[in-house]
Amino acid sequence: MRPATLLRTAVWLSVIAFLWRPSAFAAVFAPFTHDGAPAIYDQGDLADLALAHLGLVLFATALSAVIAVLLAVVVTRGPGRAFLPMSRSLVSIGQTFPPVAVLAVAVPLVGFGSLPALIALVAYGLLPVFENALTGLAELPASVLEAADGVGMDAWQRLWSIELPLAGPLIVEGLRQTLVISVGTATLGSTVAAKGLGEVIIAGLLSDNTAFVLQGGLLTGLMAILLHDAIGRIGAYVLPRQG
Amino acid sequence: MIEIDGLTKRYGGTTVVDAVDLRVPTGSITAIVGTSGSGKSTLLRMINRLVEPSAGTVRIDGRLTTEEPAHALRRRIGYVIQGNGLFPHRTVAENIATVPRMLGWSDVRIAARIEQLLLLFGLDPQIHAQRLPAELSGGQQQRVGVARALAAGPSVLLMDEPFGALDPIIRAKAQTDLRAIQQQLKTTIVIVTHDMDEAFLLADRIAVLDNGRLLQYDKPTRLLTAPASAQVSALTGTADRALRLLSLDTVMVAMAPGHADGLQLSASMSLRDALSALIWAGVRAATVCGADGEVVGQVTLEAILARGAAHQ
Ligand SMILES: Nc1ncnc2c1ncn2[C@@H]1O[C@H](COP(=O)(O)OP(=O)(O)OP(=O)(O)O)[C@@H](O)[C@H]1O
Ligand SMILES: [Mg+2]
């Protein structure tokens, strides 16, 4: 087995083992507690929270990816092209906007729970995919596009079989960024009562229990790394080779 | 036959192709020449409606090109551009299969066609079919580009400086190959070039464009011996026009009965090459041999020189 595969397998196995039997790891986290506080998060099921966290992130990312790619497709052709410069500046402005601010705006509108977290994640996750899809679609070689028209592809065939596959690697790269950002941002969701690993961190902070903070932090961090890795591999498998 | 009538393209206030009339006979090669920006590409691209004309009509085999959707029209017309425009994420075989697939050919028929075309273009199906364009040399990519354009057996092939990116030796080979393939398939070809040698080598007829207007559309010989204007002469070049004229005929036309000592030339050689061979050998006459090496006559320096004179 190659070292990368070995490491990947080891990380996956430890995460699964920890979620399956957190109590088995009590000794590892005990040094981070004091005054007889529990070493393992005991106010909910860690696996449950991790799954909810993952579900929220994946759903939000899928949603923002679809919206972002559609928007990028629209502003790179036909009448939509008039909005290309504007959307480019919107993207760069949008990325300077902190996700907490999006949450703060969403709560008064839709109340507490998973919905404001989802809105914040989707809104914030739009940007990397949109920006990359835009670059990928707007900067395709002119000769390839001319050839696609020249052989008699209609607009859909050209988009589906030439433009999107060629912009694919950049779009996947954007998707990776979105996923990593979302995993982190989703912890903030717990401040508005969305279910997720943020609960563990917040509980740790409130009860001054570093072990809880570590557990929540490690799980989110590893989730981000594993997703980042998985998307890259799925992308390499799904996308065509390009010489 | 391609019939072009009053074809015009305007961008804003400027007319880049101005009321061009052109008749391209079926199975012939027409070269469009002219200085940069004279409207060659625009004229070519109006034939397959990559550019929509501002005025005028194009008929292919009697049928107006506007009678069907543009993409349907383009599937019936081969199109080759400089830098080949191959799809980088598709293999050579998939690139060639593009149009047949859109036309709904069966897999068996497509596979047979790919193999046939690769062989025709001197590529090995076993080695090259599954390669990506990036894994081919420039000359091979260019051949695949032409093969893709010919895949569905179009009766018309449009080429925009197809050999522009090739080095001189590969380009010369590509040109002779194209000529041979064209004679085999009887495709009607319109080729844009600003390489005058290429135009004279390939074309049955040459269209000279200047500022969007068609100055002359004629046989290559006529362009040299009866230029419509000083601009045409300037474009075809005056310094070496006698040699260019000689390059258009074979030894066959200057041949006389008899035979000479020493030098032997092939009957299919151009007069220009024959002249060069005579000068090089330092002789005034050579024996002419047919395809099987049999003696068919002789050619003299005087006879060749006479063919290069403006008025014959
Ligand atoms: N989409 C366009 N909008 C405005 N002007 C254009 C457009 N396309 C071409 N032109 C102009 O039309 C003129 C003819 O262009 P065209 O590409 O047909 O020239 P060409 O003869 O092919 O030149 P070259 O040898 O450099 O390829 C040029 O002056 C060019 O700037
Ligand atoms: Mg051009």
Side-chain angles (χ1 to χ4, degrees), chain B residues 11 16 35-42 161 194:
Chain B
Y11 286 113
V16 298
T35 50
S36 186
S38 55
K40 304 181 295 293
S41 299
T42 308
E161 304 195 27
H194 51 225

Side-chain angles (χ1 to χ4, degrees), chain B residues 158-180:
Chain B
L158 307 177
M159 312 180 91
D160 196 344
E161 304 195 27
F163 309 127
L166 303 181
D167 68 60
I169 293 174
I170 307 275
R171 186 186 311 160
K173 165 122 176 53
Q175 288 162 347
T176 44
D177 287 354
L178 178 69
R179 185 84 238 200

Side-chain angles (χ1 to χ4, degrees), chain A residues 29-52:
Chain A
F29 291 98
F32 301 100
T33 59
H34 51 84
D35 304 335
I40 298 294
Y41 184 66
D42 57 356
Q43 297 163 29
D45 182 17
L46 275 174
D48 217 31
L49 291 177
L51 273 183

